[in-house]
Amino acid sequence: MFEISSLDPYMSNLAFCTAGKESSDIERHSSSVPAPPFPQIYQVGPDLVWISMGSLMRMAMYMGLHQDPNNFGHMTVKDKEIRRRLWYTILEFNVQAALDSGISPMIQESDYNTQPPYNVSDDDVENAVQEDFIPKNSTTILLPSLLAKSLPLRLGVARIINSLQEETSYDHILVIGNELAAICRNLTAAVDTNPSMSDAYPTIQFAQNYCSHLLRRFSLCLHFRYAIKAKKNAPYSHSQKVCLEAALDLAALLEDRLYSRLLVTGGGMFRDIITRGALLIFLELAPDPEIETSNSAKRRSHARQSVLLEDARRVVQYAEDRMRHGETNVKGYEFLRMMLVQAEGRFSGLLTDGDLPKSLNDGLDTCHEIL
């Protein structure tokens, strides 16, 4: 089904990454948490995940999950809802695997007509015993429902990002990016206006962070190729702003003690902070020598960079924590560490020629100690 509480095999995987008291909390309060792509929890490579998703997708279509259950014969409301939730869970796995593997999704919106699940809780579905009973949609947006309704858009975004054909026009990128931004705003509004989504339980915050991660990584990937060109191509400055905000949102996920356990142990999408987010943060910290600024502007920039440096330090610490939890690729950590030393040196005005070699040697010593 569409939620962790309905996917017993995934519960054990999630509990593995959140061992301790939090794992029991998940079992009690997981009804609002969409199921994570469990192969990535164990750092399975994106190529293998994508191949597995192909088999899963074809199996689901062979079972007829891609056709709305209203087109079939006699079926209870509960069974219909189960089929819809299962289908949209598989679609979520598919679109995330496509984004990680760099290959277009194996399905598009025209290939299925299954309607999104009702915006209702599991209890309402369990109580739908009459054949003609239709669960009443909740007045507040539930996180799984929001993800399901955004899937057609995100499938299209993944197809654009991974397309091998002619590059999409930047105007179209801006239009799609605005639609993604609207979905992210809906997520924020759903959290702010729904009393049941308070952070009283760690797993409620986990659900919010997981959904935020699923959505914002699409904005980051969509605008990334333009954001890195923004300093030399002013029309792309909007993409740089969008990517930076997405990168900072992803870095902020490290503040959640429960979700950060998944970030330091998982693969695939859980490495977004290192693979793309960190580059945007350090790119923002790099000065543009061609821009002349007044003293007041320099002071404002200095204050802003002070905050960004804290995020940069957090990302470097995250890269080190990943190695302590099994990551064996030291190049990413060394690269980020040297960029941090360079950014701190420029910020303080005390950067010397020997700082980078020293940082490299110190980083290698740290890697040798860990590995």
Side-chain angles (χ1 to χ4, degrees):
M1 286 178 61
F2 196 64
E3 300 171 349
I4 282 184
S5 58
S6 309
L7 292 169
D8 293 337
Y10 303 141
M11 284 300 304
S12 60
N13 292 282
L14 185 57
F16 170 81
C17 294
T18 55
K21 179 180 181 296
E22 295 92 339
S23 61
S24 60
D25 290 337
I26 288 178
E27 294 177 1
R28 292 196 302 269
H29 307 291
S30 60
S31 61
S32 61
V33 186
F38 69 93
Q40 295 183 358
I41 293 177
Y42 290 126
Q43 298 197 36
V44 177
D47 51 347
L48 297 179
V49 173
W50 188 81
I51 293 173
S52 300
M53 287 303 108
S55 299
L56 179 61
M57 178 64 65
R58 285 160 179 79
M59 186 183 302
M61 297 184 74
Y62 185 78
M63 295 170 60
L65 296 180
H66 65 299
Q67 300 184 52
D68 192 79
N70 285 336
N71 298 328
F72 298 148
H74 172 75
M75 189 178 297
T76 65
V77 172
K78 179 180 177 180
D79 288 341
K80 291 179 181 179
E81 185 68 4
I82 289 175
R83 291 177 66 90
R84 290 187 179 118
R85 293 188 177 202
L86 181 57
W87 173 249
Y88 275 87
T89 297
I90 295 172
L91 282 183
E92 187 67 52
F93 288 167
N94 175 37
V95 72
Q96 299 297 337
L99 198 61
D100 289 327
S101 63
I103 304 176
S104 294
M106 292 164 279
I107 196 171
Q108 52 189 355
E109 188 178 6
S110 60
D111 295 331
Y112 65 93
N113 60 12
T114 304
Q115 296 301 308
Y118 287 113
N119 186 44
V120 295
S121 66
D122 287 348
D123 291 337
D124 291 330
V125 175
E126 289 291 337
N127 295 331
V129 293
Q130 299 92 347
E131 295 182 19
D132 58 347
F133 174 78
I134 299 178
K136 183 179 180 181
N137 282 339
S138 173
T139 56
T140 56
I141 300 177
L142 301 180
L143 299 181
S145 177
L146 188 148
L147 287 176
K149 291 180 180 178
S150 69
L151 264 170
L153 175 62
R154 289 185 288 134
L155 283 170
V157 170
R159 194 171 299 279
I160 290 174
I161 294 173
N162 298 331
S163 175
L164 300 178
Q165 303 299 321
E166 184 177 352
E167 185 174 338
T168 305
S169 69
Y170 187 59
D171 289 339
H172 188 50
I173 295 294
L174 293 177
V175 171
I176 297 178
N178 289 336
E179 294 180 19
L180 279 173
I183 294 174
C184 292
R185 288 194 297 270
N186 289 340
L187 172 62
T188 302
V191 172
D192 292 341
T193 60
N194 190 350
S196 65
M197 291 186 183
S198 65
D199 55 0
Y201 295 107
T203 49
I204 299 298
Q205 186 65 41
F206 180 96
Q208 297 169 10
N209 288 335
Y210 178 58
C211 291
S212 177
H213 192 174
L214 290 180
L215 293 174
R216 285 178 169 80
R217 69 189 302 247
F218 280 85
S219 296
L220 179 62
C221 294
L222 178 65
H223 286 278
F224 184 79
R225 70 177 70 178
Y226 306 101
I228 59 178
K229 304 175 184 177
K231 286 188 178 293
K232 295 184 178 180
N233 199 331
Y236 294 155
S237 58
H238 175 73
S239 290
Q240 183 180 5
K241 178 181 177 181
V242 171
C243 276
L244 178 62
E245 291 302 320
L248 294 176
D249 286 339
L250 292 180
L253 298 177
L254 294 170
E255 298 175 2
D256 182 356
R257 185 167 59 93
L258 184 60
Y259 196 76
S260 64
R261 293 287 296 274
L262 191 57
L263 291 172
V264 299
T265 58
M269 60 174 281
F270 302 112
R271 301 180 71 251
D272 281 343
I273 298 176
I274 291 180
T275 54
R276 287 187 175 90
L279 296 180
L280 270 300
I281 294 175
F282 283 110
L283 182 63
E284 186 68 15
L285 287 169
D288 190 345
E290 298 181 0
I291 297 180
E292 296 183 5
T293 56
S294 62
N295 289 332
S296 59
K298 289 180 179 179
R299 286 194 295 270
R300 291 193 300 270
S301 176
H302 194 272
R304 175 174 172 77
Q305 288 194 344
S306 177
V307 177
L308 286 175
L309 274 174
E310 291 301 319
D311 291 299
R313 295 186 185 104
R314 185 187 307 163
V315 168
V316 173
Q317 183 61 49
Y318 162 68
E320 180 178 330
D321 291 341
R322 283 190 60 87
M323 288 198 300
R324 296 186 184 277
H325 286 80
E327 177 68 66
T328 58
N329 187 346
V330 303
K331 291 184 292 184
Y333 169 70
E334 285 285 8
F335 182 60
L336 295 179
R337 183 186 175 97
M338 287 191 292
M339 285 197 296
L340 177 61
V341 169
Q342 195 172 36
E344 289 178 331
R346 286 195 300 259
F347 181 78
S348 63
L350 302 176
L351 182 65
T352 64
D353 293 339
D355 287 343
L356 289 181
K358 183 178 183 303
S359 172
L360 176 61
N361 291 329
D362 292 344
L364 289 175
D365 290 340
T366 300
C367 295
H368 183 267
E369 175 190 348
I370 295 174
L371 302 177

